[in-house]
Amino acid sequence: MPPSSFVVAIDGPTASGKGTLAKRLARHLGFAHLDSGLLYRAVGLALIRAGKDPGDQAAALAAAEGLDPAGLADPDLRQERTGQAASVVAAMPEVRAALLAFQRRFAAAPPGGAKGAVLDGRDIGTVVCPAAAAKIFLDAGVEKRAARREKELRQRGEIIIEGAVLRDLQERDARDRNRAVAPLVAAGDAYVLDTTDMDADQAFEAALAYVNSRSSGGPGGPAAET
Ligand code: C5P
């Protein structure tokens, strides 16, 4: 039996601040971090580069099965069109199944010998790691999320079309929440954190207090499990 790993599952809609929170928690706790959205983005990007339609199921499955973790640092994964393609392939059950084992292995045996892992996505607390020691569902109003995303894109020097970011988020929210397989929903035992009126520091402090409360000995203590 591998030693048990303390798993923190963070789910939430697009641009809810999951990535920022997950990275910061992982750094603070000395845990490994997996942004599971990158896996779906990598599949979407492979299709775009091959000139295929993101709705092409056979091509999407082949890309998911051949996924190379070394490619997860590609900056093109962050593009908006890659995110759109990712949310199309993410609705395919075969693609989700193909990416499940990688995520579970990461959680159970975090790279670098870390004592725990923080995974963020849409279905970490419900499907990937239903027995995670700590589960956070991060939410914020769609207009607030659009404003944050626009600021981020401007900082990267991208050109913003009025209203386009909000429309894109609404489309992706609808697709992620309404799909038949692993829809975006808070796990029944998740700590729901609405950050509409919080800044990143306040969200971090609230999340950290919750994570610490999940184990009497602190993360890695007696309540740790995968
Ligand atoms: O989080 P991010 O925006 O990078 O994710 C891109 C897309 O991948 C999401 O819109 C969602 O459809 C999909 N995704 C998913 N399950 C996850 C992570 C991401 O379905 N665990």
Side-chain angles (χ1 to χ4, degrees), residues 23 33-45 67-69 71-79 82 86 99 102-103 120-122:
K23 252 190 244 122
H33 169 227
L34 178 65
D35 169 358
S36 67
L38 285 180
L39 306 176
Y40 295 91
R41 284 172 178 267
V43 175
L45 185 59
L67 188 90
D68 176 6
L72 296 179
D74 190 324
D76 287 356
L77 293 174
R78 301 278 171 200
Q79 288 175 350
T82 309
L99 298 178
F102 178 84
Q103 296 172 80
D120 71 88
R122 304 292 188 292

Side-chain angles (χ1 to χ4, degrees), residues 72-109:
L72 296 179
D74 190 324
D76 287 356
L77 293 174
R78 301 278 171 200
Q79 288 175 350
E80 289 300 289
R81 64 176 192 151
T82 309
Q84 278 287 356
S87 83
V88 174
V89 301
M92 299 171 187
E94 302 81 1
V95 168
R96 302 200 72 84
L99 298 178
L100 195 56
F102 178 84
Q103 296 172 80
R104 287 193 173 150
R105 262 198 315 276
F106 189 99

Side-chain angles (χ1 to χ4, degrees), residues 189-201:
D189 54 351
Y191 166 55
V192 178
L193 184 55
D194 188 318
T195 66
T196 308
D197 298 314
M198 282 185 187
D199 63 22
D201 287 345

Side-chain angles (χ1 to χ4, degrees), residues 1-217:
M1 276 261 293
S4 60
S5 151
F6 189 102
V7 176
V8 181
I10 304 181
D11 292 303
T14 302
S16 56
K18 298 183 305 288
T20 305
L21 176 65
K23 252 190 244 122
R24 201 161 155 189
L25 273 179
R27 203 180 325 120
H28 182 88
L29 299 167
F31 287 3
H33 169 227
L34 178 65
D35 169 358
S36 67
L38 285 180
L39 306 176
Y40 295 91
R41 284 172 178 267
V43 175
L45 185 59
L47 296 189
I48 291 172
R49 285 190 173 151
K52 306 255 184 192
D53 186 302
D56 182 333
Q57 298 212 13
L61 180 58
E65 284 173 341
L67 188 90
D68 176 6
L72 296 179
D74 190 324
D76 287 356
L77 293 174
R78 301 278 171 200
Q79 288 175 350
E80 289 300 289
R81 64 176 192 151
T82 309
Q84 278 287 356
S87 83
V88 174
V89 301
M92 299 171 187
E94 302 81 1
V95 168
R96 302 200 72 84
L99 298 178
L100 195 56
F102 178 84
Q103 296 172 80
R104 287 193 173 150
R105 262 198 315 276
F106 189 99
K115 284 203 182 116
V118 181
L119 282 79
D120 71 88
R122 304 292 188 292
D123 63 340
I124 307 298
T126 49
V127 175
V128 179
C129 301
K135 297 183 186 179
I136 298 169
F137 190 86
L138 204 61
D139 210 351
V142 70
E143 293 188 346
K144 188 69 183 255
R145 287 187 280 127
R148 288 178 187 158
R149 176 56 57 94
E150 283 189 6
K151 189 172 160 205
E152 195 184 302
L153 292 173
R154 268 199 200 94
Q155 282 168 349
R156 274 200 250 149
E158 292 194 29
I159 295 158
I160 313 279
I161 300 161
E162 184 68 30
V165 172
L166 179 62
R167 273 197 306 280
D168 176 66
L169 285 190
Q170 286 166 329
E171 264 177 52
R172 278 168 64 184
D173 277 3
R175 213 159 29 225
D176 289 350
R177 290 185 204 270
N178 298 327
R179 66 183 176 218
V181 168
L184 171 67
V185 62
D189 54 351
Y191 166 55
V192 178
L193 184 55
D194 188 318
T195 66
T196 308
D197 298 314
M198 282 185 187
D199 63 22
D201 287 345
Q202 290 168 320
F204 172 71
E205 292 303 334
L208 182 62
Y210 159 74
V211 170
N212 282 330
S213 77
R214 295 297 299 154
S215 171
S216 51

